């Protein structure tokens, strides 16, 4: 059985409706464009900064993706994100990105342009006898794989460990797996209670639904702290404004939907 778009959206509204706004790609673009334009964030004076997962499902040509829609409307993007959309580029990455936006010309006068942050973990959904979260069938494949693999892998390891307290982060003495270490440390050190709560949920879909809300909270709060620090360091240099669009990208076999959590303006 293949899910229709309407099935997917109504399932997402059931499961995420209290948390964020479930949108098609077109509705997402319309919603953010209206907000951004009203606040003078335009294609000609702004640069996108993405904190998204490197997973190719988010930008394959065979799929209609949120990322492509954003790029069509706002040109290309600077990347901060590692596995699980963790903002690995950090404050140094934001400083670099801040030198790149196109100039903002107002009445013939030039000031530095704006940054539009797009902060978004990603989550697959498929119908396989029942509705499954965290899974995807990718273009050119028949098998089912995880999406997001980094977060589903973490959830699997957490279940094996039995609790956040007994989760052992596999060591990486030669610094060969930096994002996993940063991501797992951030989860275990800051969100032990939420993780233990997820573990006691009986329904596996519900565990995954909550895990991706946590994934969002983790990367969004980290990115916001980085932006705040950037603004303190660069307060005498950065002339532009900053917008932040946040939520969960939902990957389906045909393309993406979006659960919009917030549109914020860390500097306006
Ligand atoms: Zn991923």
């Amino acid at each position: 059985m293949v899910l229709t778009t309407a099935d997917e959206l109504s399932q997402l509204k059931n499961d995420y409706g209290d948390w964020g706004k479930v949108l098609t790609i077109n509705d997402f673009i319309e919603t953010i464009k209206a907000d951004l334009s009203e606040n003078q964030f335009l294609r000609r004076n702004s640069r996108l900064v993405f904190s998204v997962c490197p997973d190719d499902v988010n930008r394959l040509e065979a799929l209609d993706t949120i990322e492509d829609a954003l790029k069509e409307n706002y040109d290309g993007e600077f990347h901060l994100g590692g596995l699980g959309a963790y903002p690995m580029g950090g404050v140094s990455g934001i400083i670099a990105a801040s030198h790149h936006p196109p100039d903002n010309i107002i009445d013939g006068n030039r000031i530095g342009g704006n940054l539009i942050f797009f902060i978004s973990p990603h989550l697959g959904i498929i119908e396989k006898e029942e509705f499954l979260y965290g899974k995807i069938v990718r273009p050119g494949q028949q098998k089912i794989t995880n999406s997001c693999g980094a977060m589903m892998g973490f959830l699997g390891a957490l279940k094996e460990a039995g609790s956040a307290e007994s989760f052992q982060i596999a060591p990486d003495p030669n610094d060969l797996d930096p994002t996993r270490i940063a991501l797992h440390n951030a989860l275990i050190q800051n969100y032990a209670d939420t993780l233990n709560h997820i573990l006691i949920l009986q329904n596996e879909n519900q565990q995954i639904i909550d895990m991706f809300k946590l994934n969002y909270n983790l990367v969004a709060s980290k990115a916001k702290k980085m932006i705040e620090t950037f603004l303190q360091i660069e307060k005498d240099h950065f002339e532009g404004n900053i917008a932040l669009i946040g939520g969960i990208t939902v990957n389906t076999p045909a393309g993406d939907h979006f659960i919009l959590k917030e549109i914020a303006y860390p500097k306006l």
Side-chain angles (χ1 to χ4, degrees):
M1 184 180 154
V2 177
L3 283 177
T4 65
T5 298
D7 291 337
E8 290 163 356
L9 294 172
S10 94
Q11 184 76 42
L12 288 167
K13 277 178 194 162
N14 272 340
D15 294 326
Y16 278 101
D18 293 345
W19 185 82
K21 206 167 177 187
V22 176
L23 299 167
T24 61
I25 291 179
N26 285 346
D27 289 345
F28 166 72
I29 291 293
E30 229 169 78
T31 303
I32 63 152
K33 249 186 147 171
D35 215 292
L36 290 170
S37 303
E38 199 175 308
N39 290 291
Q40 313 309 319
F41 286 78
L42 307 167
R43 183 188 176 103
R44 63 171 169 75
N45 66 15
S46 304
R47 176 69 66 242
L48 290 168
V49 181
F50 280 5
S51 193
V52 296
C53 186
D55 189 332
D56 46 304
V57 74
N58 296 304
R59 58 200 74 86
L60 289 175
E61 281 180 13
L63 298 170
D64 283 331
T65 68
I66 287 287
E67 290 190 17
D68 282 346
L70 276 166
K71 285 184 261 192
E72 259 168 45
N73 283 279
Y74 290 96
D75 205 345
E77 75 286 0
F78 189 103
H79 274 279
L80 289 181
L83 299 171
Y86 193 79
M88 283 299 279
V91 175
S92 299
I94 299 174
I95 292 172
S98 75
H99 297 136
H100 301 179
D103 294 339
N104 195 4
I105 312 288
I106 303 168
D107 300 331
N109 298 314
R110 189 213 71 86
I111 62 164
N114 309 314
L115 297 175
I116 303 170
F117 284 76
F118 176 64
I119 311 291
S120 182
H122 69 112
L123 166 64
I125 50 169
I126 56 168
E127 172 100 15
K128 174 83 177 168
E129 283 151 23
E130 55 176 341
F131 191 81
L132 292 178
Y133 277 101
K135 304 288 178 187
I136 185 89
V137 177
R138 294 163 187 267
Q141 294 192 334
Q142 293 188 356
K143 65 182 176 186
I144 295 172
T145 53
N146 285 332
S147 170
C148 170
M151 293 307 295
M152 292 297 286
F154 172 79
L155 179 59
L158 178 69
K159 283 180 176 178
E160 258 171 49
S163 72
E165 289 72 21
S166 43
F167 187 97
Q168 299 287 334
I169 298 173
D172 180 29
N174 298 315
D175 293 329
L176 300 179
D177 206 5
T179 315
R180 176 181 60 81
I181 297 293
L183 183 64
H184 287 193
N185 268 322
L187 283 161
I188 294 293
Q189 285 169 12
N190 302 312
Y191 298 96
D193 289 351
T194 313
L195 293 171
N196 288 332
H197 176 75
I198 288 171
L199 281 173
I200 58 171
L201 294 170
Q202 295 299 316
N203 179 300
E204 195 176 359
N205 268 342
Q206 194 59 53
Q207 289 184 323
I208 296 168
I209 289 163
D210 284 12
M211 180 54 87
F212 282 84
K213 290 180 188 170
L214 173 59
N215 189 182
Y216 178 78
N217 290 344
L218 168 75
V219 297
S221 67
K222 190 57 89 174
K224 285 175 189 173
K225 281 182 199 146
M226 289 171 180
I227 293 169
E228 212 175 284
T229 303
F230 157 75
L231 286 172
Q232 282 162 8
I233 295 172
E234 293 289 308
K235 61 179 182 298
D236 298 330
H237 307 290
F238 180 64
E239 298 172 329
N241 287 328
I242 297 182
L244 185 152
I245 298 159
I248 298 172
T249 298
V250 180
N251 312 126
T252 82
D256 295 341
H257 305 309
F258 198 72
I259 309 167
L260 179 65
K261 177 69 175 160
E262 58 186 318
I263 304 176
Y265 293 93
K267 182 177 179 226
L268 196 60

